[in-house]
Amino acid sequence: MKRSLVNRSAALAVSLVLVATGAALAADRLPGDAVPAAHRGGNSSAYAFGGPGSSGGNAATRAYRDLLDHGSGAKILTAAHRGQWRDAPENSLPAFRAAFGRGAELVETDIQLTKDKVPVLMHDTTVDRTTNGVGAVADLTLDQLEQLRLKEGLGGAQAAVTDERVPTLEEAMLLAKDRGLVNLDKGWSSREVVWDVLTRTGTVRNGLFKSDAPVSEVQDFRAAHPDAVYMHMITDANLGDVGRFGDDQPVAYEVNFDSAQDAVARGPFLDALAKHSRVWSNTMWNGLSDHITDEASLTDPLRGWEALVRGFHTSVFQTDDVAKVESWLRTGEGDPLPRGDVRVQAEDFLPGEGTGYHDNDNANAGGLGMRPGEGVDVSDADGDVRVSWMRGGEWLTYGVDVPRTGTYALAARVSSPYSPAGTYTVSFDGGPMSARVAVRNTTSHNKEVLQPSGVEQRLTAGHHVLRVSLPADAYQNWNLDYVQLSPVRR
Protein backbone atom coordinates (compact mmCIF):
# COMPACT_ATOMS: atom_id res chain seq x y z
CA MET A 1 0.00 0.00 0.00
CA LYS A 2 1.45 3.35 -1.04
CA ARG A 3 1.42 6.47 1.07
CA SER A 4 -1.54 8.74 0.50
CA LEU A 5 -1.28 11.22 -2.36
CA VAL A 6 -4.31 13.23 -1.21
CA ASN A 7 -3.85 16.96 -1.81
CA ARG A 8 -0.34 16.48 -3.25
CA SER A 9 -0.97 17.17 -6.93
CA ALA A 10 0.19 20.79 -6.91
CA ALA A 11 3.16 20.15 -4.67
CA LEU A 12 4.43 17.29 -6.78
CA ALA A 13 3.81 18.78 -10.21
CA VAL A 14 7.49 18.94 -11.06
CA SER A 15 8.06 15.30 -10.13
CA LEU A 16 4.98 14.11 -11.99
CA VAL A 17 6.14 15.90 -15.13
CA LEU A 18 9.48 14.21 -14.68
CA VAL A 19 7.88 10.78 -14.47
CA ALA A 20 5.86 11.44 -17.60
CA THR A 21 9.06 12.49 -19.32
CA GLY A 22 10.86 9.39 -18.08
CA ALA A 23 8.06 7.13 -19.25
CA ALA A 24 8.14 8.69 -22.68
CA LEU A 25 11.90 8.32 -22.83
CA ALA A 26 11.64 4.70 -21.80
CA ALA A 27 9.19 4.04 -24.60
CA ASP A 28 11.63 5.64 -27.05
CA ARG A 29 14.52 3.60 -25.74
CA LEU A 30 13.21 0.07 -25.90
CA PRO A 31 10.51 -0.21 -28.54
CA GLY A 32 8.26 -3.19 -28.04
CA ASP A 33 9.69 -4.05 -24.62
CA ALA A 34 10.31 -0.93 -22.57
CA VAL A 35 11.34 -2.83 -19.44
CA PRO A 36 13.55 -5.94 -19.50
CA ALA A 37 11.72 -8.94 -18.09
CA ALA A 38 13.94 -9.15 -15.04
CA HIS A 39 13.03 -5.55 -14.15
CA ARG A 40 9.26 -6.05 -14.17
CA GLY A 41 7.20 -6.55 -11.07
CA GLY A 42 5.98 -10.12 -10.77
CA ASN A 43 8.91 -11.80 -12.52
CA SER A 44 9.69 -15.41 -11.73
CA SER A 45 12.55 -14.61 -9.34
CA ALA A 46 12.12 -13.61 -5.70
CA TYR A 47 12.68 -9.98 -6.69
CA ALA A 48 10.19 -7.49 -8.05
CA PHE A 49 13.08 -5.72 -9.80
CA GLY A 50 16.33 -7.24 -10.98
CA GLY A 51 17.59 -10.78 -10.77
CA PRO A 52 18.64 -12.80 -7.70
CA GLY A 53 22.37 -12.32 -8.32
CA SER A 54 25.35 -14.63 -8.08
CA SER A 55 25.65 -17.67 -5.85
CA GLY A 56 28.61 -19.22 -4.07
CA GLY A 57 31.47 -17.69 -2.16
CA ASN A 58 31.14 -14.99 0.48
CA ALA A 59 29.03 -11.85 0.20
CA ALA A 60 31.93 -9.75 -1.11
CA THR A 61 32.70 -12.26 -3.86
CA ARG A 62 29.07 -12.34 -4.92
CA ALA A 63 28.88 -8.54 -4.91
CA TYR A 64 31.98 -8.32 -7.11
CA ARG A 65 30.57 -10.82 -9.61
CA ASP A 66 27.26 -8.98 -9.67
CA LEU A 67 28.94 -5.61 -10.24
CA LEU A 68 30.60 -7.05 -13.36
CA ASP A 69 27.25 -8.34 -14.67
CA HIS A 70 25.40 -5.76 -16.75
CA GLY A 71 23.05 -8.13 -18.54
CA SER A 72 19.28 -7.67 -18.68
CA GLY A 73 18.78 -10.10 -15.78
CA ALA A 74 21.47 -8.62 -13.53
CA LYS A 75 20.82 -8.05 -9.87
CA ILE A 76 20.11 -4.44 -8.96
CA LEU A 77 22.66 -3.37 -6.36
CA THR A 78 22.34 -1.09 -3.36
CA ALA A 79 25.04 1.30 -2.13
CA ALA A 80 24.72 2.78 1.36
CA HIS A 81 25.58 6.49 1.31
CA ARG A 82 28.20 7.07 4.04
CA GLY A 83 27.22 3.69 5.44
CA GLN A 84 23.94 3.01 7.23
CA TRP A 85 24.08 6.30 9.12
CA ARG A 86 20.50 5.84 10.32
CA ASP A 87 21.80 3.13 12.64
CA ALA A 88 25.28 4.48 13.46
CA PRO A 89 27.50 7.53 12.88
CA GLU A 90 28.18 8.21 9.21
CA ASN A 91 31.43 6.73 7.88
CA SER A 92 31.89 4.60 11.01
CA LEU A 93 32.65 0.88 11.27
CA PRO A 94 29.21 0.18 12.83
CA ALA A 95 27.65 2.04 9.87
CA PHE A 96 29.51 -0.35 7.55
CA ARG A 97 28.31 -3.40 9.49
CA ALA A 98 24.73 -2.13 9.55
CA ALA A 99 24.73 -1.38 5.81
CA PHE A 100 25.94 -4.84 4.84
CA GLY A 101 23.64 -6.37 7.44
CA ARG A 102 20.62 -4.66 5.86
CA GLY A 103 21.45 -6.00 2.41
CA ALA A 104 23.67 -3.40 0.76
CA GLU A 105 26.27 -4.80 -1.61
CA LEU A 106 28.31 -1.61 -1.45
CA VAL A 107 29.10 1.05 1.10
CA GLU A 108 29.97 4.52 -0.13
CA THR A 109 32.58 6.21 2.03
CA ASP A 110 34.72 9.33 1.88
CA ILE A 111 38.48 9.49 2.23
CA GLN A 112 40.69 12.23 3.67
CA LEU A 113 44.40 12.10 4.48
CA THR A 114 45.67 12.95 7.94
CA LYS A 115 48.70 15.15 8.54
CA ASP A 116 50.82 11.97 8.58
CA LYS A 117 49.24 10.80 5.29
CA VAL A 118 47.01 8.06 6.69
CA PRO A 119 43.70 7.67 4.78
CA VAL A 120 40.71 7.89 7.12
CA LEU A 121 36.95 7.96 6.64
CA MET A 122 35.64 11.53 6.70
CA HIS A 123 33.36 13.34 4.28
CA ASP A 124 34.27 16.92 5.17
CA THR A 125 37.76 18.38 5.07
CA THR A 126 37.26 19.28 8.75
CA VAL A 127 36.16 17.18 11.71
CA ASP A 128 33.78 19.86 13.01
CA ARG A 129 30.42 18.45 11.84
CA THR A 130 30.87 14.75 12.61
CA THR A 131 33.08 14.70 15.73
CA ASN A 132 33.50 16.44 19.05
CA GLY A 133 36.65 18.12 17.73
CA VAL A 134 37.52 21.00 15.45
CA GLY A 135 40.06 21.54 12.71
CA ALA A 136 41.09 20.29 9.31
CA VAL A 137 41.78 16.57 8.90
CA ALA A 138 44.97 17.45 7.03
CA ASP A 139 46.23 19.35 10.11
CA LEU A 140 45.65 16.46 12.53
CA THR A 141 47.76 13.34 12.99
CA LEU A 142 46.16 9.92 13.24
CA ASP A 143 46.93 9.89 16.97
CA GLN A 144 45.07 13.18 17.38
CA LEU A 145 42.10 11.94 15.34
CA GLU A 146 41.87 8.81 17.45
CA GLN A 147 41.22 10.97 20.51
CA LEU A 148 38.02 12.30 18.92
CA ARG A 149 34.60 10.67 19.00
CA LEU A 150 31.98 10.61 16.27
CA LYS A 151 28.52 12.13 16.62
CA GLU A 152 25.26 10.31 15.96
CA GLY A 153 23.89 9.96 12.44
CA LEU A 154 24.88 12.82 10.13
CA GLY A 155 26.37 14.79 12.98
CA GLY A 156 25.81 18.51 13.38
CA ALA A 157 26.33 21.03 16.14
CA GLN A 158 23.69 19.54 18.44
CA ALA A 159 24.03 15.82 17.67
CA ALA A 160 24.97 13.56 20.57
CA VAL A 161 28.54 12.30 20.83
CA THR A 162 29.03 8.51 20.71
CA ASP A 163 31.87 6.22 21.75
CA GLU A 164 32.84 5.57 18.12
CA ARG A 165 36.05 6.98 16.68
CA VAL A 166 37.14 7.94 13.16
CA PRO A 167 38.15 4.74 11.31
CA THR A 168 41.14 4.34 9.06
CA LEU A 169 40.57 3.11 5.53
CA GLU A 170 42.54 -0.01 6.43
CA GLU A 171 40.11 -0.86 9.23
CA ALA A 172 37.14 -0.30 6.92
CA MET A 173 38.54 -2.46 4.14
CA LEU A 174 39.32 -5.32 6.52
CA LEU A 175 35.74 -5.15 7.78
CA ALA A 176 34.38 -5.18 4.23
CA LYS A 177 36.71 -7.91 3.00
CA ASP A 178 34.15 -10.72 3.26
CA ARG A 179 31.02 -8.56 3.42
CA GLY A 180 30.90 -6.40 0.27
CA LEU A 181 32.39 -3.61 -1.79
CA VAL A 182 33.42 -0.05 -0.91
CA ASN A 183 32.86 3.00 -3.12
CA LEU A 184 36.00 5.08 -2.50
CA ASP A 185 34.61 8.59 -2.82
CA LYS A 186 37.00 11.54 -2.57
CA GLY A 187 39.88 9.07 -2.89
CA TRP A 188 41.09 9.78 -6.42
CA SER A 189 43.57 12.50 -5.45
CA SER A 190 45.22 10.06 -3.01
CA ARG A 191 44.74 6.96 -5.19
CA GLU A 192 48.26 5.62 -4.78
CA VAL A 193 48.00 5.74 -0.99
CA VAL A 194 44.55 4.11 -1.24
CA TRP A 195 45.95 1.44 -3.58
CA ASP A 196 48.63 0.61 -1.04
CA VAL A 197 45.94 0.01 1.58
CA LEU A 198 43.95 -2.25 -0.76
CA THR A 199 46.97 -4.35 -1.70
CA ARG A 200 48.17 -4.61 1.90
CA THR A 201 44.75 -5.77 3.11
CA GLY A 202 44.04 -8.07 0.17
CA THR A 203 40.95 -6.04 -0.78
CA VAL A 204 41.76 -4.85 -4.30
CA ARG A 205 38.49 -6.29 -5.63
CA ASN A 206 36.53 -4.76 -2.76
CA GLY A 207 37.51 -1.18 -3.57
CA LEU A 208 35.73 0.82 -6.27
CA PHE A 209 37.76 3.82 -7.44
CA LYS A 210 35.80 6.71 -8.96
CA SER A 211 36.50 10.08 -10.54
CA ASP A 212 35.63 12.43 -13.37
CA ALA A 213 39.32 12.94 -14.14
CA PRO A 214 40.56 13.18 -17.74
CA VAL A 215 40.34 9.79 -19.40
CA SER A 216 44.07 9.77 -20.15
CA GLU A 217 44.82 10.14 -16.43
CA VAL A 218 42.37 7.37 -15.56
CA GLN A 219 43.77 5.02 -18.18
CA ASP A 220 47.33 5.61 -16.99
CA PHE A 221 46.27 4.55 -13.51
CA ARG A 222 44.37 1.52 -14.77
CA ALA A 223 47.29 0.44 -16.92
CA ALA A 224 49.62 0.60 -13.92
CA HIS A 225 47.05 -1.16 -11.70
CA PRO A 226 45.27 -3.65 -13.99
CA ASP A 227 43.25 -5.21 -11.16
CA ALA A 228 41.74 -1.88 -10.08
CA VAL A 229 37.94 -1.67 -10.19
CA TYR A 230 36.91 1.69 -11.61
CA MET A 231 33.72 3.76 -12.06
CA HIS A 232 33.55 7.04 -13.99
CA MET A 233 31.35 10.00 -13.08
CA ILE A 234 29.57 11.74 -15.96
CA THR A 235 27.33 14.74 -16.54
CA ASP A 236 26.58 16.73 -19.68
CA ALA A 237 29.95 18.42 -19.19
CA ASN A 238 31.98 15.25 -19.84
CA LEU A 239 29.66 12.70 -21.45
CA GLY A 240 32.16 12.47 -24.31
CA ASP A 241 34.41 10.53 -21.93
CA VAL A 242 32.41 7.38 -22.68
CA GLY A 243 33.68 7.32 -26.24
CA ARG A 244 37.23 8.10 -25.13
CA PHE A 245 37.40 4.88 -23.11
CA GLY A 246 36.88 2.92 -26.32
CA ASP A 247 36.75 -0.83 -25.73
CA ASP A 248 38.20 -0.52 -22.22
CA GLN A 249 35.04 0.69 -20.49
CA PRO A 250 34.69 1.24 -16.71
CA VAL A 251 32.60 -1.27 -14.78
CA ALA A 252 30.04 1.47 -14.07
CA TYR A 253 29.12 5.08 -14.76
CA GLU A 254 27.74 7.35 -12.07
CA VAL A 255 25.27 9.38 -14.12
CA ASN A 256 24.28 12.71 -12.57
CA PHE A 257 21.66 15.01 -14.09
CA ASP A 258 19.71 17.91 -12.65
CA SER A 259 17.14 17.64 -15.44
CA ALA A 260 15.74 14.64 -17.28
CA GLN A 261 16.24 16.70 -20.43
CA ASP A 262 20.03 16.63 -20.00
CA ALA A 263 21.86 14.84 -22.79
CA VAL A 264 23.37 12.40 -20.33
CA ALA A 265 19.85 11.28 -19.32
CA ARG A 266 18.53 10.71 -22.85
CA GLY A 267 17.47 7.31 -24.09
CA PRO A 268 19.93 6.48 -26.89
CA PHE A 269 22.91 7.51 -24.77
CA LEU A 270 21.86 5.38 -21.79
CA ASP A 271 20.88 2.47 -24.04
CA ALA A 272 24.44 2.32 -25.33
CA LEU A 273 25.94 2.84 -21.88
CA ALA A 274 23.99 -0.03 -20.32
CA LYS A 275 25.30 -2.52 -22.89
CA HIS A 276 28.79 -2.45 -21.41
CA SER A 277 28.60 -0.84 -17.94
CA ARG A 278 26.40 -0.51 -14.89
CA VAL A 279 24.36 2.71 -14.62
CA TRP A 280 24.73 4.13 -11.10
CA SER A 281 22.11 6.62 -9.85
CA ASN A 282 22.13 8.75 -6.70
CA THR A 283 18.76 9.29 -5.02
CA MET A 284 19.70 11.04 -1.79
CA TRP A 285 18.40 14.50 -2.73
CA ASN A 286 17.11 16.66 -5.59
CA GLY A 287 19.50 17.47 -8.39
CA LEU A 288 21.43 14.21 -8.49
CA SER A 289 18.83 12.43 -10.63
CA ASP A 290 16.60 15.45 -11.22
CA HIS A 291 13.81 15.14 -8.62
CA ILE A 292 13.91 11.33 -8.44
CA THR A 293 14.78 10.75 -4.78
CA ASP A 294 14.46 8.31 -1.91
CA GLU A 295 11.63 10.37 -0.45
CA ALA A 296 9.74 10.52 -3.75
CA SER A 297 10.17 6.75 -3.99
CA LEU A 298 8.61 6.19 -0.58
CA THR A 299 5.52 8.10 -1.64
CA ASP A 300 5.31 6.30 -4.97
CA PRO A 301 8.14 4.22 -6.52
CA LEU A 302 6.88 5.19 -9.99
CA ARG A 303 8.16 8.71 -9.18
CA GLY A 304 11.42 7.33 -7.84
CA TRP A 305 13.42 4.12 -7.94
CA GLU A 306 11.08 2.39 -10.37
CA ALA A 307 11.19 5.37 -12.75
CA LEU A 308 14.99 5.11 -12.83
CA VAL A 309 14.94 1.39 -13.60
CA ARG A 310 12.25 1.69 -16.25
CA GLY A 311 13.38 4.92 -17.86
CA PHE A 312 17.10 5.32 -17.21
CA HIS A 313 18.62 1.79 -17.03
CA THR A 314 19.65 2.25 -13.39
CA SER A 315 21.13 -0.93 -11.93
CA VAL A 316 22.95 0.53 -8.88
CA PHE A 317 21.21 2.81 -6.38
CA GLN A 318 23.15 4.96 -3.94
CA THR A 319 20.69 5.74 -1.19
CA ASP A 320 20.20 7.17 2.28
CA ASP A 321 17.60 4.48 3.01
CA VAL A 322 19.07 1.02 2.39
CA ALA A 323 16.32 -0.89 4.17
CA LYS A 324 13.57 0.73 2.09
CA VAL A 325 15.39 0.16 -1.22
CA GLU A 326 15.98 -3.49 -0.35
CA SER A 327 12.32 -3.89 0.58
CA TRP A 328 11.21 -2.25 -2.68
CA LEU A 329 13.44 -4.55 -4.73
CA ARG A 330 11.66 -7.53 -3.18
CA THR A 331 8.10 -6.22 -3.08
CA GLY A 332 7.79 -3.32 -5.52
CA GLU A 333 6.36 -1.13 -2.72
CA GLY A 334 7.94 2.07 -1.44
CA ASP A 335 6.80 2.64 2.14
CA PRO A 336 4.05 0.06 2.66
CA LEU A 337 1.60 0.58 5.48
CA PRO A 338 1.57 -2.41 7.85
CA ARG A 339 -1.70 -4.29 7.98
CA GLY A 340 -4.17 -2.63 10.33
CA ASP A 341 -2.17 0.61 10.65
CA VAL A 342 -3.57 4.06 9.89
CA ARG A 343 -1.36 6.79 8.43
CA VAL A 344 -2.27 10.48 8.30
CA GLN A 345 -0.15 12.83 6.18
CA ALA A 346 0.77 16.04 7.97
CA GLU A 347 -0.38 18.22 5.06
CA ASP A 348 -3.88 16.68 5.15
CA PHE A 349 -4.96 18.76 8.18
CA LEU A 350 -8.57 19.86 8.49
CA PRO A 351 -9.26 23.30 6.96
CA GLY A 352 -9.84 26.63 8.62
CA GLU A 353 -7.72 28.82 10.89
CA GLY A 354 -9.01 28.45 14.42
CA THR A 355 -11.15 25.41 13.59
CA GLY A 356 -8.93 22.93 11.75
CA TYR A 357 -5.60 24.39 12.75
CA HIS A 358 -3.81 27.35 14.30
CA ASP A 359 -0.62 28.78 12.82
CA ASN A 360 1.20 31.73 14.33
CA ASP A 361 1.25 33.60 11.02
CA ASN A 362 -1.17 33.60 8.12
CA ALA A 363 1.31 32.83 5.35
CA ASN A 364 2.64 29.49 4.08
CA ALA A 365 6.38 29.91 4.65
CA GLY A 366 6.98 26.51 3.05
CA GLY A 367 6.27 27.85 -0.41
CA LEU A 368 4.00 25.05 -1.68
CA GLY A 369 0.63 26.13 -3.06
CA MET A 370 -1.14 22.85 -2.38
CA ARG A 371 -3.40 24.32 0.36
CA PRO A 372 -4.43 27.71 -1.10
CA GLY A 373 -5.59 30.18 1.52
CA GLU A 374 -4.31 28.10 4.44
CA GLY A 375 -1.52 29.52 6.61
CA VAL A 376 0.15 26.23 7.59
CA ASP A 377 3.80 25.99 6.49
CA VAL A 378 3.82 23.12 3.99
CA SER A 379 7.17 22.42 2.31
CA ASP A 380 8.82 19.90 0.01
CA ALA A 381 12.15 18.41 1.10
CA ASP A 382 13.61 16.29 -1.70
CA GLY A 383 10.22 14.81 -2.50
CA ASP A 384 8.90 14.65 1.05
CA VAL A 385 5.86 16.91 1.53
CA ARG A 386 5.57 17.84 5.19
CA VAL A 387 4.53 20.55 7.65
CA SER A 388 7.55 22.63 8.65
CA TRP A 389 8.47 25.58 10.87
CA MET A 390 6.62 24.00 13.78
CA ARG A 391 6.38 26.61 16.54
CA GLY A 392 5.02 26.80 20.08
CA GLY A 393 1.31 27.53 20.39
CA GLU A 394 0.40 26.01 17.01
CA TRP A 395 -1.88 23.01 16.53
CA LEU A 396 -3.31 20.81 13.76
CA THR A 397 -6.34 18.54 13.57
CA TYR A 398 -6.91 15.49 11.37
CA GLY A 399 -9.75 13.22 10.45
CA VAL A 400 -8.79 9.61 11.19
CA ASP A 401 -10.74 6.55 10.07
CA VAL A 402 -9.98 3.53 12.26
CA PRO A 403 -10.76 0.12 10.69
CA ARG A 404 -11.17 -1.89 13.92
CA THR A 405 -11.90 -1.22 17.57
CA GLY A 406 -8.79 -1.57 19.67
CA THR A 407 -5.85 0.11 21.32
CA TYR A 408 -3.51 1.99 19.01
CA ALA A 409 0.06 3.23 19.54
CA LEU A 410 0.96 6.57 17.96
CA ALA A 411 4.22 7.36 16.18
CA ALA A 412 5.29 10.42 14.17
CA ARG A 413 7.72 10.65 11.24
CA VAL A 414 9.74 13.77 11.98
CA SER A 415 13.02 15.55 11.28
CA SER A 416 15.17 18.12 13.04
CA PRO A 417 18.89 18.80 13.59
CA TYR A 418 18.27 20.28 17.05
CA SER A 419 18.41 18.99 20.62
CA PRO A 420 15.82 19.44 21.95
CA ALA A 421 13.92 19.50 18.67
CA GLY A 422 10.45 20.07 20.07
CA THR A 423 7.54 18.72 22.06
CA TYR A 424 3.95 17.84 21.20
CA THR A 425 0.80 16.46 22.76
CA VAL A 426 -2.11 14.63 21.16
CA SER A 427 -5.78 14.26 21.92
CA PHE A 428 -8.67 12.39 20.34
CA ASP A 429 -12.23 13.63 19.81
CA GLY A 430 -11.82 16.63 22.12
CA GLY A 431 -10.61 14.51 25.02
CA PRO A 432 -7.71 15.20 27.37
CA MET A 433 -4.24 15.92 26.07
CA SER A 434 -1.60 13.24 26.34
CA ALA A 435 1.62 13.63 28.24
CA ARG A 436 4.22 15.64 26.38
CA VAL A 437 6.19 13.77 23.72
CA ALA A 438 9.76 14.83 22.95
CA VAL A 439 10.85 15.03 19.30
CA ARG A 440 14.36 13.63 19.07
CA ASN A 441 17.19 14.99 16.93
CA THR A 442 17.38 13.17 13.56
CA THR A 443 20.63 15.04 12.67
CA SER A 444 19.09 16.69 9.59
CA HIS A 445 16.25 18.99 8.60
CA ASN A 446 15.55 16.77 5.58
CA LYS A 447 16.02 13.23 6.90
CA GLU A 448 12.84 11.96 8.51
CA VAL A 449 12.62 9.21 11.14
CA LEU A 450 9.51 7.45 12.44
CA GLN A 451 9.64 7.96 16.22
CA PRO A 452 7.32 6.18 18.68
CA SER A 453 5.53 8.52 21.06
CA GLY A 454 4.67 6.18 23.90
CA VAL A 455 1.04 7.33 23.56
CA GLU A 456 -1.61 4.60 23.37
CA GLN A 457 -5.32 5.23 22.82
CA ARG A 458 -8.39 3.01 22.83
CA LEU A 459 -10.41 3.80 19.67
CA THR A 460 -13.63 2.39 18.31
CA ALA A 461 -13.97 1.52 14.64
CA GLY A 462 -15.03 4.57 12.65
CA HIS A 463 -14.18 8.24 12.32
CA HIS A 464 -12.18 10.22 14.89
CA VAL A 465 -10.53 13.64 15.14
CA LEU A 466 -6.87 13.74 16.17
CA ARG A 467 -5.33 16.95 17.45
CA VAL A 468 -1.56 17.55 17.54
CA SER A 469 -0.61 20.51 19.73
CA LEU A 470 2.73 22.23 20.29
CA PRO A 471 3.12 23.64 23.83
CA ALA A 472 3.93 27.34 23.75
CA ASP A 473 6.47 27.11 26.57
CA ALA A 474 8.69 24.53 24.78
CA TYR A 475 11.35 25.08 22.11
CA GLN A 476 9.95 24.01 18.73
CA ASN A 477 11.89 23.65 15.47
CA TRP A 478 10.99 20.46 13.65
CA ASN A 479 9.13 19.03 10.65
CA LEU A 480 6.24 16.56 10.58
CA ASP A 481 5.78 14.14 7.68
CA TYR A 482 2.99 11.94 9.02
CA VAL A 483 1.38 10.42 12.09
CA GLN A 484 0.84 6.67 12.23
CA LEU A 485 -1.44 4.60 14.47
CA SER A 486 -0.55 0.93 14.93
CA PRO A 487 -2.71 -1.71 16.64
CA VAL A 488 -1.27 -2.81 19.96
CA ARG A 489 -1.11 -6.60 20.07
CA ARG A 490 -0.78 -7.84 23.62
Side-chain angles (χ1 to χ4, degrees):
M1 181 177 180
K2 297 183 177 70
R3 290 164 61 188
S4 170
L5 291 175
V6 175
N7 292 329
R8 291 191 167 206
S9 57
L12 302 176
V14 173
S15 294
L16 291 174
V17 168
L18 174 61
V19 171
T21 302
L25 291 175
D28 290 342
R29 287 172 180 146
L30 300 170
D33 189 9
V35 184
H39 292 167
R40 294 195 191 111
N43 67 66
S44 59
S45 78
Y47 291 80
F49 293 92
S54 302
S55 60
N58 59 40
T61 298
R62 295 192 295 273
Y64 175 74
R65 292 173 184 162
D66 287 334
L67 182 65
L68 299 183
D69 179 7
H70 50 260
S72 62
K75 183 179 184 181
I76 295 177
L77 306 180
T78 304
H81 182 232
R82 306 182 195 176
Q84 179 64 2
W85 58 262
R86 292 179 181 274
D87 295 340
E90 73 167 57
N91 284 325
S92 68
L93 295 184
F96 268 56
R97 293 190 191 96
F100 291 131
R102 288 185 175 270
E105 290 83 13
L106 303 103
V107 170
E108 183 269 352
T109 195
D110 307 283
I111 300 169
Q112 304 286 345
L113 293 184
T114 64
K115 185 176 182 179
D116 40 354
K117 305 305 179 185
V118 179
V120 295
L121 308 192
M122 181 71 60
H123 178 273
D124 301 354
T125 57
T126 74
V127 301
D128 300 23
R129 175 176 60 87
T130 57
T131 79
N132 60 347
V134 295
V137 179
D139 292 338
L140 300 170
T141 65
L142 179 61
D143 285 345
Q144 289 172 317
L145 270 180
E146 287 180 337
Q147 304 309 309
L148 305 180
R149 291 298 178 265
L150 292 168
K151 294 182 178 180
E152 287 184 347
L154 296 171
Q158 298 186 32
V161 177
T162 73
D163 292 330
E164 297 299 328
R165 60 181 181 78
V166 179
T168 64
L169 176 62
E170 181 170 342
E171 291 171 323
M173 296 311 300
L174 287 172
L175 186 154
K177 189 170 186 176
D178 295 328
R179 291 178 170 91
L181 311 182
V182 180
N183 175 19
L184 304 165
D185 202 3
K186 300 183 182 295
W188 185 251
S189 61
S190 55
R191 55 193 175 277
E192 293 296 343
V193 177
V194 172
W195 178 259
D196 288 345
V197 172
L198 301 188
T199 55
R200 185 169 63 250
T201 56
T203 57
V204 166
R205 286 189 171 184
N206 298 77
L208 179 61
F209 288 90
K210 61 177 281 189
S211 81
D212 58 358
V215 173
S216 59
E217 178 180 301
V218 173
Q219 293 300 65
D220 286 346
F221 176 77
R222 295 175 75 194
H225 309 83
D227 294 330
V229 186
Y230 179 77
M231 173 174 71
H232 202 60
M233 303 162 59
I234 54 172
T235 64
D236 276 7
N238 69 332
L239 81 171
D241 284 359
V242 177
R244 297 184 186 101
F245 279 106
D247 294 332
D248 188 20
Q249 289 290 322
V251 68
Y253 281 92
E254 180 180 302
V255 182
N256 294 305
F257 54 95
D258 54 17
S259 169
Q261 300 303 317
D262 288 357
V264 77
R266 301 298 295 180
F269 176 77
L270 290 173
D271 284 346
L273 200 69
K275 290 178 180 177
H276 53 66
S277 302
R278 288 271 186 165
V279 175
W280 175 299
S281 294
N282 299 317
T283 55
M284 294 85 71
W285 53 78
N286 290 339
L288 299 173
S289 300
D290 201 330
H291 286 70
I292 304 177
T293 62
D294 292 333
E295 286 294 334
S297 305
L298 296 179
T299 301
D300 182 357
L302 279 169
R303 297 194 303 108
W305 304 315
E306 187 170 343
L308 285 169
V309 171
R310 291 180 178 274
F312 300 88
H313 283 295
T314 299
S315 58
V316 186
F317 285 96
Q318 181 166 263
T319 177
D320 273 329
D321 209 332
V322 171
K324 292 297 186 183
V325 172
E326 288 292 313
S327 175
W328 164 74
L329 286 171
R330 293 190 302 270
T331 67
E333 296 185 273
D335 188 16
L337 187 64
R339 184 176 180 181
D341 282 24
V342 179
R343 185 177 292 165
V344 182
Q345 299 295 147
E347 68 274 17
D348 292 341
F349 53 86
L350 297 176
E353 167 64 42
T355 56
Y357 67 88
H358 169 63
D359 196 274
N360 290 345
D361 58 73
N362 60 9
N364 177 1
L368 288 183
M370 62 185 302
R371 295 294 301 259
E374 307 282 13
V376 177
D377 303 314
V378 181
S379 67
D380 179 1
D382 299 323
D384 173 32
V385 178
R386 78 273 178 89
V387 173
S388 303
W389 289 276
M390 308 282 274
R391 297 294 185 264
E394 297 178 343
W395 50 267
L396 301 157
T397 62
Y398 299 93
V400 181
D401 293 310
V402 174
R404 293 181 179 84
T405 297
T407 300
Y408 289 80
L410 184 143
R413 191 170 191 255
V414 300
S415 67
S416 176
Y418 302 112
S419 299
T423 303
Y424 66 92
T425 63
V426 297
S427 65
F428 292 86
D429 303 319
M433 286 289 179
S434 70
R436 294 189 177 196
V437 179
V439 177
R440 297 183 296 282
N441 187 336
T442 68
T443 69
S444 172
H445 272 302
N446 291 347
K447 300 299 179 183
E448 310 275 353
V449 175
L450 184 62
Q451 297 181 352
S453 69
V455 174
E456 295 185 357
Q457 180 74 27
R458 179 78 177 176
L459 297 171
T460 58
H463 189 75
H464 297 272
V465 175
L466 165 67
R467 176 165 167 163
V468 179
S469 300
L470 282 66
D473 60 349
Y475 176 80
Q476 309 283 359
N477 197 339
W478 54 288
N479 310 292
L480 176 63
D481 182 16
Y482 60 72
V483 174
Q484 189 157 313
L485 299 171
S486 303
V488 176
R489 297 175 176 85
R490 304 194 186 280

